[in-house]
């Protein structure tokens, strides 16, 4: 009986048997059916043969000296290279216990001696066809997983774009609305100061020309403390100038942060973008009822302008700094529930692993030997367990409490840094020892 070899495509069969007569019989029988047959007299030779050329099916005798068929099969299944190869056991012992053990160690079929040629070939052909179907199923599963990953990535990108557009529009709109009245106030403060000074001069002239005012004027001057008002007016005007100027700086930072009309890649001052992002987070860095103010340690190197998508890079800074603040607040919350928070700043060198009692975030920048700009943002918060770090950049994965985080921030950051800027983003941490996220992006983006 000759089986169709069109679908089998000269399949490779490894026959393992310590009896040479059995090897010759099986080899002749299978070769006649169009199979390519290799032979091994013991388990060690069989394992070596599998490493040299991976067979499509293994016919494995159970009763062999030194290493029996069960042991050989266990080693085959323990090796990633050979674990998927179908193993058909052969034995003269047609015993139920042997069959059960054969399947327990990973065998897919069982043939009893003496051999029936048609049965042997049919069983081999069935296993080959099953393996082909399994491979096709694995390929389809891989394609489905790939499609799912692409869908998730597309969802994350869409959410990112929507968030960035919405935030950019909101910030740009707020900055525009605040800019108009503050410009009016700032512009008129100069004239208000001049007018006040002229009125003060006028009062001083009156005091010189009429050194003895009426009792009513004397009483009013005493009630309002005229001398103090005259001295303090200039201080008030100066404070108003400084306050207005600070509001203008904040508005400018908001406009730079949103970069609403700057979607193209352009040279950017990284430190300026970090500072603009910090302005947005001032309210979270201040002292609260539960913790002291978060200390910012800025270790800036001299950086060149970096070619990047400024608005999107700002989003990364925002995500990483927000996460650092969240980690610090979680650590402070954990401490306050046990021994409270001590006051004072630690004097030792600060970095990942320093559990100083004062909340700290360190921002370090440098140019690397590979002509990349590195921005490292480290905190002395709760840290991240090693078992979780491999999943940090997966979409929708979060280590935060339910309702605290969406699991999109780091995934979006990964897309922006790795996929869009062709850089790297890594995390160094351990549980309870703080965390550091390091970004590296090329100074000049290569041509696509």
């Amino acid at each position: 009986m000759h089986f169709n070899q069109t679908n089998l495509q000269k399949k490779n069969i490894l026959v393992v048997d310590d009896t040479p007569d059995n090897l010759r019989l099986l080899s002749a029988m299978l070769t006649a059916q169009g199979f390519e047959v290799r032979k091994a007299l013991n388990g060690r030779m069989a394992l070596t043969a599998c490493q040299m050329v991976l067979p499509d099916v293994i016919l494995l005798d159970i009763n062999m000296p030194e290493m029996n068929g069960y042991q050989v099969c266990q080693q085959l299944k323990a090796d990633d290279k050979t674990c998927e190869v179908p193993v058909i056991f052969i034995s003269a012992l047609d015993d139920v216990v042997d069959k059960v053990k054969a399947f327990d160690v990973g065998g897919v079929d069982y043939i009893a001696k003496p051999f029936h040629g048609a049965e042997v070939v049919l069983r081999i052909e069935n296993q080959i066809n099953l393996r082909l179907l399994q491979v096709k199923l694995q390929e389809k599963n891989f394609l489905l997983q790939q499609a799912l990953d692409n869908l998730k990535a597309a969802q994350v990108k869409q959410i990112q774009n929507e968030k960035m557009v919405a935030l950019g529009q909101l910030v740009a709109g707020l900055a525009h609305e605040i800019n108009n009245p503050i410009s009016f106030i700032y512009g008129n403060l100069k004239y208000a100061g001049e007018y006040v000074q002229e009125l003060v001069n006028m009062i001083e002239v009156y005091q010189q020309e009429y050194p003895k005012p009426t009792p009513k004027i004397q009483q009013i001057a005493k009630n309002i403390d005229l001398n103090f008002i005259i001295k303090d007016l200039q201080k008030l005007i100066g404070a108003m100038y400084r306050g207005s100027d600070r509001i203008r700086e904040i508005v400018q930072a908001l406009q730079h942060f949103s970069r609403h009309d700057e979607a193209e890649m352009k040279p950017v001052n990284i430190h300026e973008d970090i500072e603009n992002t910090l302005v947005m987070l001032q309210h979270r860095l201040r002292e609260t009822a539960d913790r002291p103010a978060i200390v910012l340690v800025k270790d800036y190197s001299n950086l060149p302008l970096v070619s990047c998508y400024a608005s999107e890079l700002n989003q990364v800074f925002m995500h990483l700094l927000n996460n650092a603040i969240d980690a610090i607040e979680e650590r402070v919350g954990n401490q306050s529930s046990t021994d409270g928070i001590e006051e004072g700043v630690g004097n030792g060198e600060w970095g990942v692993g320093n559990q100083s009692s004062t909340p700290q975030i360190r921002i370090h920048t440098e140019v690397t030997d590979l002509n990349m700009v590195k921005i490292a943002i480290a905190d002395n918060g709760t840290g991240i367990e090693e078992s979780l770090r491999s999943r940090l950049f997966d979409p929708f994965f979060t280590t935060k409490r339910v309702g605290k985080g969406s699991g999109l921030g780091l995934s979006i950051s990964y897309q922006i840094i790795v996929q869009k800027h062709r850089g790297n983003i890594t995390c160094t941490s351990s549980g309870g020892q703080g965390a550091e996220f390091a970004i590296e992006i090329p100074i000049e983006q290569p041509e696509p």
Side-chain angles (χ1 to χ4, degrees):
M1 182 178 180
H2 183 78
F3 286 85
N4 182 7
Q5 292 296 311
T6 304
N7 295 326
L8 300 180
Q9 297 175 352
K10 201 74 171 177
K11 294 300 180 179
N12 185 306
I13 311 297
L14 175 64
V15 181
V16 187
D17 197 317
D18 64 329
T19 306
D21 288 341
N22 288 340
L23 284 180
R24 284 192 291 270
L25 175 62
L26 284 170
S27 177
M29 185 188 305
L30 297 175
T31 301
Q33 295 298 321
F35 293 105
E36 180 181 334
V37 181
R38 291 187 299 150
K39 295 171 283 187
L41 280 167
N42 57 54
R44 298 292 178 194
M45 292 175 62
L47 294 173
T48 303
C50 287
Q51 293 298 323
M52 293 175 63
V53 177
L54 195 66
D56 295 299
V57 175
I58 299 173
L59 293 181
L60 181 58
D61 188 25
I62 292 177
N63 296 312
M64 295 186 295
E66 295 183 14
M67 179 183 288
N68 64 34
Y70 300 131
Q71 294 170 318
V72 174
C73 188
Q74 284 175 325
Q75 290 205 26
L76 289 170
K77 296 303 173 182
D79 189 334
D80 289 339
K81 183 178 179 181
T82 57
C83 64
E84 300 292 340
V85 179
V87 175
I88 300 175
F89 281 107
I90 52 178
S91 176
L93 300 175
D94 189 9
D95 190 273
V96 174
V97 176
D98 292 333
K99 292 180 180 178
V100 170
K101 190 170 182 179
F103 290 120
D104 282 344
V105 296
V108 296
D109 206 348
Y110 189 102
I111 299 174
K113 301 175 184 176
F115 306 116
H116 298 283
E119 178 188 2
V120 173
V121 173
L122 183 60
R123 288 179 183 271
I124 290 174
E125 187 180 39
N126 285 342
Q127 292 304 324
I128 289 173
N129 289 332
L130 284 173
R131 180 64 187 142
L132 289 173
L133 291 173
Q134 187 181 29
V135 169
K136 288 181 180 178
L137 183 60
Q138 288 175 343
E139 289 174 352
K140 287 182 179 178
N141 286 340
F142 175 77
L143 292 174
L144 285 172
Q145 185 61 50
Q146 199 173 40
L148 180 60
D149 292 341
N150 291 339
L151 179 60
K152 282 186 176 181
Q155 287 176 332
V156 170
K157 188 172 183 180
Q158 183 179 4
I159 292 170
Q160 171 204 348
N161 291 337
E162 290 174 356
K163 285 177 67 176
M164 288 176 60
V165 169
L167 181 61
Q169 289 174 341
L170 175 64
V171 171
L174 284 173
H176 177 74
E177 291 300 319
I178 297 172
N179 194 46
N180 288 334
I182 199 60
S183 296
F184 176 79
I185 293 170
Y186 188 84
N188 284 309
L189 269 176
K190 176 184 177 183
Y191 301 109
E194 291 175 356
Y195 297 160
V196 167
Q197 188 58 50
E198 288 175 358
L199 290 173
V200 169
N201 293 340
M202 185 70 179
I203 291 172
E204 290 174 347
V205 171
Y206 264 102
Q207 288 175 331
Q208 294 169 7
E209 293 295 323
Y210 298 96
K212 294 183 179 180
T214 63
K216 184 176 182 180
I217 293 175
Q218 288 180 13
Q219 187 60 44
I220 293 173
K222 183 179 179 182
N223 290 341
I224 67 173
D225 197 353
L226 182 60
N227 290 334
F228 173 78
I229 288 176
I230 290 173
K231 291 178 182 178
D232 202 47
L233 266 173
Q234 291 305 316
K235 294 181 182 178
L236 288 177
I237 295 296
M240 292 165 70
Y241 260 120
R242 290 192 297 275
S244 301
D245 200 44
R246 177 58 182 153
I247 295 174
R248 290 177 68 206
E249 288 177 1
I250 292 172
V251 169
Q252 189 177 40
L254 292 173
Q255 290 172 329
H256 286 167
F257 174 83
S258 67
R259 295 186 182 267
H260 187 51
D261 298 323
E262 298 180 19
E264 297 301 319
M265 184 173 287
K266 60 182 292 185
V268 167
N269 184 325
I270 293 293
H271 293 152
E272 187 178 283
D273 275 15
I274 294 173
E275 292 300 319
N276 291 333
T277 307
L278 288 172
V279 169
M280 301 280 288
L281 293 170
Q282 280 299 315
H283 66 289
R284 296 204 64 196
L285 297 170
R286 296 191 187 101
E287 181 180 357
T288 68
D290 301 318
R291 60 159 175 79
I294 296 175
V295 176
L296 282 175
V297 181
K298 300 175 185 177
D299 179 21
Y300 291 167
S301 300
N302 186 22
L303 299 184
L305 295 180
V306 178
S307 181
C308 65
Y309 296 95
S311 176
E312 298 190 23
L313 197 59
N314 283 342
Q315 297 296 317
V316 176
F317 296 150
M318 176 68 81
H319 287 313
L320 297 184
L321 288 166
N322 257 323
N323 284 349
I325 295 170
D326 287 343
I328 286 172
E329 290 185 340
E330 184 176 349
R331 175 202 155 198
V332 170
N334 293 341
Q335 279 191 341
S336 63
S337 64
T338 54
D339 57 357
I341 302 299
E342 301 174 11
E343 295 182 356
V345 179
N347 295 321
E349 182 180 351
W350 189 88
V352 174
N354 185 332
Q355 285 294 72
S356 164
S357 59
T358 297
Q360 296 182 30
I361 294 176
R362 177 177 180 262
I363 307 173
H364 169 79
T365 63
E366 65 176 77
V367 176
T368 70
D369 295 337
L370 299 175
N371 206 32
M372 309 265 279
V373 165
K374 178 180 179 180
I375 306 104
I377 298 174
D379 63 71
N380 60 347
T382 53
I384 304 166
E385 297 291 345
E386 183 179 358
S387 59
L388 301 177
R389 287 206 300 275
S390 63
R391 301 178 59 197
L392 282 178
F393 302 106
D394 291 350
F396 308 110
F397 174 77
T398 179
T399 60
K400 298 176 184 177
R401 297 187 303 274
V402 175
K404 185 71 175 175
S406 64
L408 288 174
L410 289 178
S411 177
I412 289 170
S413 298
Y414 183 90
Q415 286 193 1
I416 292 172
I417 298 301
V418 177
Q419 298 177 10
K420 195 148 191 177
H421 287 88
R422 304 181 188 185
N424 303 302
I425 179 169
T426 56
C427 173
T428 305
S429 178
S430 60
Q433 298 296 315
E436 177 180 285
F437 283 86
I439 301 165
E440 289 184 336
I441 57 175
I443 294 173
E444 291 291 336
Q445 288 289 323
E447 292 295 326

